[in-house]
């Protein structure tokens, strides 16, 4: 085994860091600029001390590796992340891909998309990047999150098609402002499950982006009810959801005159995305 890789793994293992082997490889990849092939061939590492110093910092702080790096990857792009934003996760790709599918179905030149709780802006940016016929408004209650999102929008050269605004869900939207698609990965952890979260998530990721009342459904209810005013007739409302929440979200949709069109499972078989469209008598 590569000795530096082994040393990093031991540092993390001794500190009780989860998945020390996987994180050791990430550290060598990101800090040491080592590819999987480089590791396999045991190529010389020129900045071993920098790598070990990063590993010790991770072990000492217990912070998410992504926060210490200051970035993480989502759908092939590197996004700035901070303690004020959720770390982009693979499961959210299912939400973006569902939105892109609906953009194609709508097919017009200027599909209007609203991303509620935009955080790092990864959802808004990847919809805009992969669908040039979209204009996306990303809203968030956190100014610090919006600052990170703005940096990501600028870095991806999407400033003309992704607009950001401080808003608590719909409260800063303008009269007459409507959308063809509304997407959201809202807070969905119920208060009874919060204490059982992984300690890295609980201690370092923004509580306001995770916690959603006693049922975990608080934000889904607010968005579904409020969407009636801002969603164009026949438009789509698409949610990422937590484990065992999809069926209840489908029920909420039906109670509010939406028709469920898609329930999408992630790679683990969890119902991760629910999409519904506005029926004719929604308003």
């Amino acid at each position: 085994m590569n000795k530096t890789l082994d040393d990093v793994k031991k540092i993390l293992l001794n500190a009780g860091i989860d998945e020390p082997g996987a994180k050791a490889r990430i550290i060598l990849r990101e800090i040491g600029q080592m590819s999987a092939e480089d590791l396999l061939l045991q190529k010389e590492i020129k900045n071993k001390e920098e790598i070990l110093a990063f590993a010790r910092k991770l072990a000492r702080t217990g912070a998410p590796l992504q926060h210490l790096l200051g970035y993480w990857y989502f759908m092939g792009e590197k996004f700035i992340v901070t303690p004020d934003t959720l770390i982009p996760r693979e499961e959210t790709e299912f939400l973006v891909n569902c939105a892109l599918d609906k953009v194609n179905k709508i097919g017009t030149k200027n599909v209007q998309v609203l991303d509620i709780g935009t955080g790092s802006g990864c959802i808004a940016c990847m919809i805009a990047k992969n669908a040039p016929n979209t204009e996306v408004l990303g809203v968030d209650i956190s100014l610090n999150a919006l600052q990170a999102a703005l940096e990501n929008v600028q870095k991806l050269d999407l400033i003309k098609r992704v607009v950001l605004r401080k808003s608590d869900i719909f409260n800063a939207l303008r009269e007459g402002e409507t959308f063809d698609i509304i997407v959201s990965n809202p807070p969905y952890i119920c208060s009874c499950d919060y204490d059982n979260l992984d300690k890295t998530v609980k201690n370092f990721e923004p509580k306001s982006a995770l916690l959603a009342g006693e049922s975990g459904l608080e934000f889904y209810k607010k968005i579904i009810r409020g969407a009636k005013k801002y969603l164009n007739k026949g438009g789509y409302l698409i949610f990422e959801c937590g484990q065992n929440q999809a069926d209840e979200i489908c029920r909420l949709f039906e109670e509010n005159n939406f028709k469920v069109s898609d329930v999408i499972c992630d790679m683990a078989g969890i119902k991760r995305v629910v999409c519904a469209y506005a029926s004719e008598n929604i308003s």
Side-chain angles (χ1 to χ4, degrees):
M1 178 181 287
N2 182 292
K3 187 176 187 305
T4 303
L5 178 65
D6 195 27
D7 290 343
V8 171
K9 184 178 177 180
K10 285 179 180 177
I11 290 170
L12 303 184
L13 185 65
N14 290 339
I17 301 295
D18 293 337
E19 300 180 313
K23 288 178 181 173
R25 286 177 171 80
I26 291 171
I27 291 170
L28 264 69
R29 183 187 74 200
E30 299 299 324
I31 306 301
Q33 301 296 303
M34 302 286 289
S35 68
E37 183 180 1
D38 292 337
L39 291 174
L40 184 64
L41 296 175
Q42 299 191 32
K43 288 191 175 180
E44 181 184 358
I45 297 173
K46 297 180 180 179
N47 59 339
K48 179 178 178 179
E49 289 308 314
E50 183 181 357
I51 290 168
L52 294 176
F54 186 94
R56 293 187 189 104
K57 185 176 182 181
L58 179 62
R60 182 177 70 255
T61 64
L65 183 150
Q66 297 90 335
H67 284 176
L68 296 184
L69 290 171
Y71 61 85
W72 197 239
Y73 300 94
F74 183 71
M75 297 185 74
E77 296 290 347
K78 185 187 287 187
F79 283 87
I80 294 165
V81 295
T82 74
D84 297 295
T85 67
L86 289 181
I87 296 164
R89 290 176 168 83
E90 289 184 1
E91 293 89 342
T92 305
E93 293 185 18
F94 291 92
L95 175 68
V96 173
N97 287 328
C98 182
L100 292 172
D101 176 66
K102 301 314 175 191
V103 169
N104 290 333
K105 281 183 167 59
I106 293 167
T108 58
K109 288 185 178 179
N110 293 296
V111 178
Q112 300 297 310
V113 181
L114 173 64
D115 174 25
I116 297 174
T118 196
S120 68
C122 64
I123 294 171
C125 286
M126 295 316 293
I127 291 173
K129 183 175 186 295
N130 288 286
N133 60 326
T134 57
E135 295 177 353
V136 186
L137 172 62
V139 300
D140 204 290
I141 197 170
S142 167
L143 282 174
N144 289 335
L146 288 169
Q147 180 58 46
L150 178 60
E151 292 182 45
N152 287 317
V153 169
Q154 292 171 331
K155 186 167 67 74
L156 293 171
D157 196 24
L158 293 169
I159 199 70
K160 292 182 179 179
R161 292 198 299 110
V162 178
V163 175
L164 302 169
R165 190 182 304 166
K166 185 178 187 297
S167 183
D168 183 1
I169 308 181
F170 299 111
N171 75 345
L173 298 192
R174 296 161 187 162
E175 190 66 30
E177 204 166 26
T178 60
F179 302 89
D180 302 295
I181 298 172
I182 297 175
V183 298
S184 185
N185 177 19
Y188 56 68
I189 304 298
C190 66
S191 53
C192 59
D193 289 338
Y194 183 75
D195 287 339
N196 297 323
L197 287 177
D198 178 274
K199 64 181 180 180
T200 303
V201 174
K202 186 172 66 174
N203 294 340
F204 292 97
E205 296 206 56
K207 188 174 182 178
S208 62
L210 295 168
L211 195 57
E214 292 184 6
S215 68
L217 299 171
E218 175 185 341
F219 287 92
Y220 296 105
K221 293 175 182 177
K222 289 181 179 180
I223 294 169
I224 289 172
R225 291 167 185 163
K228 297 177 182 182
K229 182 177 178 181
Y230 300 101
L231 194 63
N232 292 332
K233 180 177 165 182
Y236 295 96
L237 179 50
I238 310 171
F239 287 125
E240 181 173 332
C241 50
Q243 191 169 3
N244 301 320
Q245 289 181 322
D247 292 343
E248 185 64 20
I249 293 167
C250 288
R251 185 185 66 78
L252 290 171
F253 271 134
E254 290 166 2
E255 287 179 355
N256 288 273
N257 296 323
F258 284 84
K259 302 293 184 183
V260 175
S261 60
D262 304 81
V263 178
I264 301 169
C265 295
D266 64 17
M267 297 299 289
I270 296 169
K271 294 176 181 177
R272 185 61 65 183
V273 172
V274 178
C275 174
Y277 61 91
S279 60
E280 292 185 6
N281 62 338
I282 192 167
S283 58

